[in-house]
Amino acid sequence: DSGVTQTPKHLITATGQRVTLRCSPRSGDLSVYWYQQSLDQGLQFLIQYYNGEERAKGNILERFSAQQFPDLHSELNLSSLELGDSALYFCASSVWPDGTGGYGYTFGSGTRLTVV
Amino acid sequence: DAKTTQPTSMDCAEGRAANLPCNHSTISGNEYVYWYRQIHSQGPQYIIHGLKNNETNEMASLIITEDRKSSTLILPHATLRDTAVYYCIAGAVQGAQKLVFGQGTRLTINP
């Protein structure tokens, strides 16, 4: 157990639907990162939050949005889902916004999203 | 972030040292070298990072060349559980850092 909790572990939904993925960071970590991993794309950085504020953005689609709440958990919202959105979605956390502190990022076990 | 180049795949015998190379010839002075690994479809796992000096922890050793243009991750006594994709990443430690993962090296430990 890495200390980063992601729910749900698996999600199957239809095209056009909206889903919410949840991430609880490791205790004491203020920064949360979201990554998408498709079979043919590798790990793609989506977005980072630090202590409730957005700090960095990657190639995140406009149909996707995220937020970090006062208790530091984060949610990734995916809407108007397409078949190509099927992927593993990982959340990671770190103490500092730059990922240092000796441990780098700690990743969760991911949410496997299947769009049918 | 500097681009890194790694071999696509490598094999190593169980019990031997696994040496994974990484080229980062365009690395800048404030960029660290990070290593992560991903076992099957699990979340990536942090291994080690360094700036200039060689580093060692309970998992591995990191050897960075003097010119910092390349590095080697060493798993001293590889086990079957070390079979994974290993990612070498060069990233700056300033402000909002995002780690950019490449394709990595698929390391297979053979019995």
Side-chain angles (χ1 to χ4, degrees):
Chain A
D1 181 8
S2 68
V4 177
T5 304
Q6 289 190 248
T7 56
K9 291 194 185 307
H10 302 277
L11 198 50
I12 301 175
T13 189
T15 54
Q17 294 299 305
R18 172 189 166 97
V19 296
T20 298
L21 312 183
R22 182 188 169 101
C23 169
S24 294
R26 198 177 57 153
S27 178
D29 286 357
L30 299 177
S31 205
V32 170
Y33 313 78
W34 286 97
Y35 283 80
Q36 178 192 55
Q37 186 171 35
S38 309
L39 275 175
D40 57 348
Q41 287 284 340
L43 278 157
Q44 301 290 318
F45 170 76
L46 295 179
I47 198 164
Q48 178 204 4
Y49 281 84
Y50 176 72
N51 206 19
E53 293 187 2
E54 182 184 307
R55 291 294 294 264
K57 224 170 185 176
N59 296 324
I60 186 167
L61 299 173
E62 285 192 11
R63 300 183 286 109
F64 296 1
S65 65
Q67 55 184 324
Q68 186 178 29
F69 294 87
D71 66 353
L72 301 177
H73 90 272
S74 178
E75 293 181 356
L76 179 66
N77 300 296
L78 315 176
S79 61
S80 303
L81 285 167
E82 303 174 359
L83 295 177
D85 297 327
S86 294
L88 271 168
Y89 291 84
F90 289 106
C91 167
S93 70
S94 70
V95 175
W96 306 111
D98 56 17
T100 58
Y103 301 100
Y105 291 9
T106 302
F107 280 81
S109 57
T111 293
R112 182 177 294 279
L113 174 66
T114 304
V115 182
V116 297
Chain B
D1 294 345
K3 179 178 169 54
T4 61
T5 305
Q6 300 177 251
T8 304
S9 63
M10 291 182 62
D11 285 88
C12 179
E14 188 178 18
R16 299 291 188 121
N19 298 288
L20 291 88
C22 178
N23 286 322
H24 30 78
S25 58
T26 61
I27 195 169
S28 59
N30 66 343
E31 287 185 311
Y32 280 68
V33 178
Y34 293 85
W35 283 85
Y36 285 76
R37 73 180 182 183
Q38 186 174 24
I39 298 172
H40 194 40
S41 294
Q42 297 177 22
Q45 177 188 24
Y46 166 82
I47 301 173
I48 199 167
H49 75 284
L51 184 62
K52 295 181 189 177
N53 301 319
N54 298 337
E55 302 287 345
T56 296
N57 62 22
E58 65 279 3
M59 288 183 68
S61 295
L62 173 61
I63 309 298
I64 302 174
T65 58
E66 196 167 338
D67 63 8
R68 302 211 324 122
K69 292 185 177 181
S70 66
S71 61
T72 301
L73 178 74
I74 301 172
L75 307 178
H77 305 287
T79 70
L80 298 179
R81 287 175 295 182
D82 292 321
T83 293
V85 177
Y86 287 76
Y87 297 97
C88 168
I89 304 161
V93 181
Q94 285 181 356
Q97 178 195 30
K98 56 184 188 297
L99 293 182
V100 178
F101 288 77
Q103 295 304 308
T105 295
R106 183 171 297 277
L107 174 67
T108 302
I109 307 300
N110 300 306

